């Protein structure tokens, strides 16, 4: 991954609202003419990214708190930090759509530079995997999915519809999916082959509090408690998906790697 950070861009910390998790990521394009100069001059890519932020901050109608996107991707394969990790996007059309997905824009438009390079697609995948590692779930959609727009344009949307595959040789794309490992204390979490729903332990309260702190509180109606419930199981499975687990590997019970990363205190 080749990341250009906000610090390198001379930007302060983002003032965008905090948001720890989403259902996934939506892919965008600029929707305006983009100069083909970007193909041969990376400095032009940085200038383009800086100009997008200036235009968003100057937009009094939308009242953006920052550049609208979490990340951008340039034709040379650089991932450009926008709002970044853990910040709500402003790009998806309305607040419910912004809450549902993060946003990554490829620096292509509707005239001039319209076709993403393989390096750009690899950088978009880098951004998707980075966001997945920090709370985004698995969905990859186009801006037009759920909002009336042409974005992300024909070429990018066709790529999204194929599952957003990482082009060979770009170095981007997902790392090998982590596999479930048996937890040494799994008997606490299971009743035979099923989750131990109804079992009580202080560890479940501590676990639930950490899941809520990590952004998975939407599964809880009344907060964390000592009795294991369906909310705990669903929240933990969503948390494991956010770490890259999928299918049976993401299901309850906890694995030692995900448990260690959750930092549940000893009780």
């Amino acid at each position: 991954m080749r990341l250009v950070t906000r610090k390198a861009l001379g930007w302060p910390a983002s003032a965008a609202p905090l948001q720890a998790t989403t259902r996934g990521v939506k892919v965008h394009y600029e929707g305006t003419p983009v100069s083909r100069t970007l193909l041969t001059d990376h400095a032009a890519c940085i200038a383009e990214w800086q100009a997008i932020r200036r235009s968003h901050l100057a937009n009094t109608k939308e009242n953006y708190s920052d550049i609208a996107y979490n990340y951008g991707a340039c034709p040379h394969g650089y991932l450009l930090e926008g709002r970044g990790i853990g910040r709500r996007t402003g790009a998806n059309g309305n607040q419910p759509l912004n809450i549902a997905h993060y946003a990554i824009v490829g620096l292509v438009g509707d005239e001039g530079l319209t076709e993403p390079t393989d390096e750009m697609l690899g950088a978009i995948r880098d951004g998707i995997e980075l966001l997945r590692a920090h709370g985004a779930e698995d969905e990859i959609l186009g801006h037009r999915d759920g909002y009336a727009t042409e974005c992300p344009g024909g070429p990018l949307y066709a790529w999204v519809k194929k599952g957003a595959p990482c082009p060979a040789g770009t170095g981007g794309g997902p790392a090998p999916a982590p596999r479930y490992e048996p937890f040494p204390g799994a008997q606490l979490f299971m009743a035979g082959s099923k989750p131990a729903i109804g079992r009580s332990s202080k560890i479940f309260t501590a676990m639930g509090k950490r899941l809520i702190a990590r952004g998975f509180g939407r599964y809880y109606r009344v907060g964390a408690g000592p009795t294991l419930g369906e909310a705990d199981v669903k929240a933990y499975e969503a948390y494991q998906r956010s770490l890259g687990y999928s299918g049976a590997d993401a299901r309850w019970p906890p694995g030692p790697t995900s448990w260690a990363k959750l930092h549940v205190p000893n009780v």
Side-chain angles (χ1 to χ4, degrees):
M1 179 187 301
R2 295 189 286 179
L3 176 64
V4 179
T5 65
R6 290 181 69 92
K7 183 177 181 180
L9 292 163
W11 297 352
S14 179
L18 293 171
Q19 180 165 332
T21 187
T22 66
R23 297 206 306 262
V25 177
K26 281 190 173 177
V27 176
H28 295 246
Y29 78 153
E30 293 193 47
T32 56
V34 174
S35 173
R36 292 182 60 83
T37 302
L38 270 64
L39 290 169
T40 56
D41 183 2
H42 181 57
C45 300
I46 299 299
E48 183 83 2
W49 193 233
Q50 297 273 18
I52 292 171
R53 183 171 187 263
R54 286 195 300 271
S55 70
H56 286 182
L57 289 175
N59 189 329
T60 55
K61 179 180 178 181
E62 296 292 344
N63 195 29
Y64 291 114
S65 60
D66 195 1
I67 190 169
Y69 309 105
N70 295 92
Y71 290 98
C74 88
H76 307 276
Y78 286 88
L79 186 66
L80 311 174
E81 189 175 19
R83 297 189 177 198
I85 293 167
R87 299 283 179 173
R88 184 176 304 162
T89 182
N92 289 336
N94 58 44
Q95 279 297 82
L97 294 174
N98 290 336
I99 290 169
H101 295 85
Y102 293 124
I104 299 177
V105 60
L107 298 189
V108 292
D110 55 7
E111 293 182 27
L113 179 56
T114 60
E115 292 279 347
T117 64
D118 282 352
E119 290 79 8
M120 180 184 291
L121 299 180
I124 294 174
R125 281 302 313 219
D126 283 339
I128 290 169
E129 298 308 320
L130 183 58
L131 289 166
R132 282 180 171 177
H134 291 85
E137 296 183 15
D138 293 340
E139 287 186 344
I140 304 174
L141 301 174
H143 184 193
R144 69 177 69 176
D145 293 315
Y147 191 77
T149 176
E150 293 299 312
C151 185
L156 266 180
Y157 191 61
W159 175 71
V160 168
K161 295 298 285 183
K162 291 177 182 177
C166 184
T170 63
R179 306 293 295 178
Y180 176 76
E181 310 157 69
F183 192 63
Q187 66 273 11
L188 174 65
F189 304 101
M190 300 293 289
S193 61
K194 296 182 179 180
I197 301 298
R199 184 174 294 165
S200 293
S201 171
K202 292 180 180 179
I203 198 69
F204 298 140
T205 304
M207 178 193 72
K209 287 181 177 179
R210 289 299 302 147
L211 288 168
I212 291 168
R214 288 290 296 266
F216 300 95
R218 67 184 182 276
Y219 295 96
Y220 294 87
R221 291 185 180 180
V222 295
T227 302
L228 185 70
E230 293 286 351
D232 297 298
V233 173
K234 290 179 179 178
Y236 203 96
E237 289 180 342
Y239 160 64
Q240 293 201 128
R241 290 195 298 273
S242 79
L243 298 178
Y245 294 87
S246 62
D249 294 312
R251 293 178 191 144
W252 186 268
T257 300
S258 64
W259 187 262
K261 290 182 177 180
L262 192 58
H263 300 297
V264 178
N266 292 324
V267 294

